[in-house]
Amino acid sequence: MSSIAAKATRREWIGLAVITLPCLLYSMDLTIMTLALPTISAALYATNAQMLWMVDIYGFMVAGSLITMGTIGDRIGRRRLLLIGAAAFGIISVLAALVKSAGALILLRALLGVAGAALAPSTLSLIRNMFHNKNERTTAVGIWMASFSAGAVIGPLLGGILITHFHWSSVFLISVPAMLLLLALGPWLLPEYRDPAPGRVDLCSVLLSLGAVLAVVYGMKEGAVQGLSWSPVLSLVVGVALAGVFLHRQTRLAYPMVDLQLFSRSGFSAAMLSYAFGFFVLFGLSILLTQYLQLVLDLSPFKAACWLAPWGGAFMIGSITAPRIARYWHPRLITTCGLLLSALGFALLTQVGGSSDKEVIITGTVILALGLAPLFTFSVELIIAQAPSERAGAAAALSETGSELGGALGIALLGSLASLIYRMEFSPESLPGVPEGALAYANDSLSAAIAIADELLEPARIKLLAASRYAFTVSMQFIAIMSMLIVLAAAMISCRTS
């Protein structure tokens, strides 16, 4: 669309404020369980495996359902799907607050993931149709991105407050008022858009896309933990095979779930890759940062969330200000400069391990967030702008799936590399007096080292903790260097294409 297209009215801007609510809650629900998990698992007598599934199943189902939900939104109407998703999210949240068993909560968290997947692509595709002026649409996307950052910041902080002062069920009930507000205002403020000739939903494609994404994401995340064992490798192979069958089927359907011709547009493909790449470096390092704050600096989860809050705040500021800067500079130039700035942030994070750790982490994460925010904002805007308006839902779902896969790949590859560096730097021979069994256990990971150290007497405990924390610090420094080199390379590519 041209930048001189008709401008949005007050109704569209108020509608934008309304649709940021489900985005904020969607992001909050990915993080709020982090602090609530110990209390919930104790109340429901959950096993370790059940605890992991309580956290992971939500993200898995979101990732696996995005493509399907985006396609359904194009067919039945984006506003209708958004309101259905909001109603389902609110009802399931109430049910989750009332459960009496860990198994029931896992099932409801899975259903929450499906409902959550109906929210993000619906809101983004509505932005595509509400804002026809390019400058305004970029601003709207920036606000949309900022709402996700706000949710990521608020989730752990709010979770800590609710768990401290209220019953654990409050972490689920907190989303209900916002969903009721969306249901009340959505039909009045949000316009309806759908594909005028959508065709039917292909059930086989739905199952293939769900199976492919779930298998790939599961394989990547398990691979980061287990390494190249048979389980994650088999999952990846199955996922890639299902994805191949899914893509082949799309070429034979009259009304495909994914229009593969979109990828023939260079702008669309480049934006998808950029978006996924940004989440690759972001998630790869963030998983190490949270461990560093809690396991090396010995902060509680709530205090660690507080120290990372400026990071999310910087993403919000960068997402909102990038469209304003684009009035004077070309988005490609802003993205290039942003990547260079993020490289500086990663460079600062290579200095962790000194006496000013917390200050280094805050400064480095704020700088890299300000640098990466324009990449995300402009990539998303380009993705939805390149897609025909009738396929905006599917395009929005593809962008969100790309971020999920990019993040999972970052956790898997950079996380596995960090584990390798940790094992190389951990030196059992330099720890006389520490039992061999404890050394073998501690060589697996820092969390394992801390767990086994609690069973040792002094000075063996102090020696083991110091050695394992040093090895983890070195591994994180190495990943920060790798991330810096990756974004520098991306900046060079971006500069050449400017």
Side-chain angles (χ1 to χ4, degrees):
M1 288 287 179
S2 170
S3 61
I4 60 173
K7 290 193 173 183
T9 66
R10 181 180 298 179
R11 179 179 178 180
E12 278 77 30
W13 289 108
I14 296 175
L16 175 64
V18 171
I19 63 178
T20 59
L21 284 174
C23 298
L24 186 144
L25 291 169
Y26 164 94
S27 181
M28 276 179 51
D29 234 56
L30 285 168
T31 57
I32 199 169
M33 279 288 287
T34 304
L35 289 173
L37 187 62
T39 303
I40 293 175
S41 61
L44 300 181
Y45 303 101
T47 65
N48 287 334
Q50 288 174 326
M51 289 170 61
L52 290 174
W53 278 111
M54 284 180 191
V55 176
D56 291 340
I57 193 64
Y58 177 81
F60 285 154
M61 294 308 296
V62 166
S65 305
L66 280 168
I67 294 177
T68 298
M69 290 302 174
T71 303
I72 292 175
D74 286 338
R75 285 161 168 75
I76 71 171
R78 288 105 192 225
R79 184 182 68 186
R80 179 180 294 178
L81 179 64
L82 176 63
L83 297 179
I84 291 173
F89 202 95
I91 293 171
I92 298 168
S93 294
V94 172
L95 294 175
L98 301 174
V99 297
K100 302 298 182 182
S101 69
L105 183 57
I106 292 170
L107 174 60
L108 289 170
R109 285 279 292 172
L111 294 176
L112 273 176
V114 177
L119 302 178
S122 297
T123 54
L124 183 55
S125 56
L126 280 170
I127 288 175
R128 167 69 172 81
N129 294 111
M130 291 165 62
F131 297 91
H132 299 287
N133 180 280
K134 184 181 185 301
N135 293 333
E136 290 186 335
R137 186 170 61 240
T138 305
T139 299
V141 169
I143 295 172
W144 180 83
M145 289 292 305
S147 67
F148 285 97
S149 300
V153 172
I154 293 171
L157 300 179
L158 184 60
I161 295 172
L162 292 175
I163 287 297
T164 302
H165 299 286
F166 302 97
H167 189 262
W168 62 263
S169 60
S170 59
V171 301
F172 296 105
L173 295 176
I174 193 67
S175 64
V176 176
M179 291 304 174
L180 289 175
L181 184 63
L182 175 60
L183 290 170
L185 298 180
W188 176 52
L189 289 172
L190 302 177
E192 182 62 286
Y193 294 98
R194 62 170 62 89
D195 187 342
R200 64 181 181 85
V201 176
D202 181 54
L203 180 59
C204 184
S205 293
V206 169
L207 296 176
L208 285 170
S209 67
L210 178 64
V213 176
L214 285 178
V216 169
V217 171
Y218 176 81
M220 288 178 178
K221 290 191 174 183
E222 286 300 300
V225 177
Q226 301 182 23
L228 294 178
S229 61
W230 70 268
S231 178
V233 170
L234 178 62
S235 182
L236 283 171
V237 170
V238 171
V240 171
L242 290 175
V245 176
F246 170 78
L247 293 175
H248 177 69
R249 185 172 180 82
Q250 302 315 292
T251 63
R252 302 174 59 186
L253 294 174
Y255 300 97
M257 285 181 61
V258 175
D259 185 1
L260 298 181
Q261 292 183 354
L262 287 174
F263 290 93
S264 64
R265 304 181 182 187
S266 58
F268 184 89
S269 299
M272 282 288 298
L273 287 173
S274 298
Y275 196 50
F277 143 79
F279 279 94
F280 174 86
V281 293
L282 184 64
F283 276 50
L285 186 68
S286 65
I287 194 70
L288 298 176
L289 271 175
T290 54
Q291 292 182 69
Y292 186 85
L293 288 169
Q294 294 180 59
L295 302 181
V296 176
L297 300 186
D298 201 24
L299 299 178
S300 68
F302 181 74
K303 288 183 178 180
C306 290
W307 281 101
L308 289 177
W311 187 9
F315 265 113
M316 293 170 59
I317 294 171
S319 300
I320 294 173
T321 57
R324 295 182 177 272
I325 301 174
R327 298 175 184 175
Y328 309 101
W329 289 3
H330 192 280
R332 183 66 67 182
L333 178 59
I334 300 172
T335 300
T336 302
C337 293
L339 287 168
L340 292 174
L341 183 63
S342 66
L344 175 61
F346 284 117
L348 284 174
L349 292 176
T350 64
Q351 303 306 304
V352 295
S355 58
S356 303
D357 261 0
K358 296 173 184 176
E359 292 78 5
V360 167
I361 289 174
I362 286 181
T363 305
T365 54
V366 165
I367 289 175
L368 73 87
L370 290 173
L372 286 177
L375 172 71
F376 295 142
T377 299
F378 295 132
S379 295
V380 169
E381 195 280 327
L382 187 57
I383 288 169
I384 61 173
Q386 287 278 320
S389 60
E390 66 272 10
R391 301 307 306 272
L398 280 175
S399 73
E400 292 307 291
T401 303
S403 69
E404 293 284 347
L405 293 178
L409 188 60
I411 292 172
L413 294 184
L414 296 181
S416 297
L417 184 58
S419 296
L420 176 62
I421 299 300
Y422 171 86
R423 289 191 290 270
M424 291 173 61
E425 290 294 325
F426 186 78
S427 303
E429 62 275 5
S430 64
L431 297 173
V434 180
E436 290 187 8
L439 291 173
Y441 192 69
N443 192 53
D444 183 62
S445 67
L446 175 58
S447 58
I450 291 176
I452 198 67
D454 289 339
E455 301 178 7
L456 302 178
L457 300 176
E458 309 292 354
R461 176 181 176 275
I462 295 177
K463 288 181 180 180
L464 183 59
L465 286 176
S468 58
R469 284 171 171 165
Y470 170 78
F472 186 87
T473 300
V474 172
S475 71
M476 193 174 122
Q477 292 171 341
F478 184 83
I479 296 304
I481 293 172
M482 293 295 296
S483 300
M484 179 188 68
L485 295 176
I486 291 172
V487 295
L488 282 175
M492 291 177 62
I493 296 172
S494 177
C495 183
R496 290 187 177 184
T497 57
S498 298

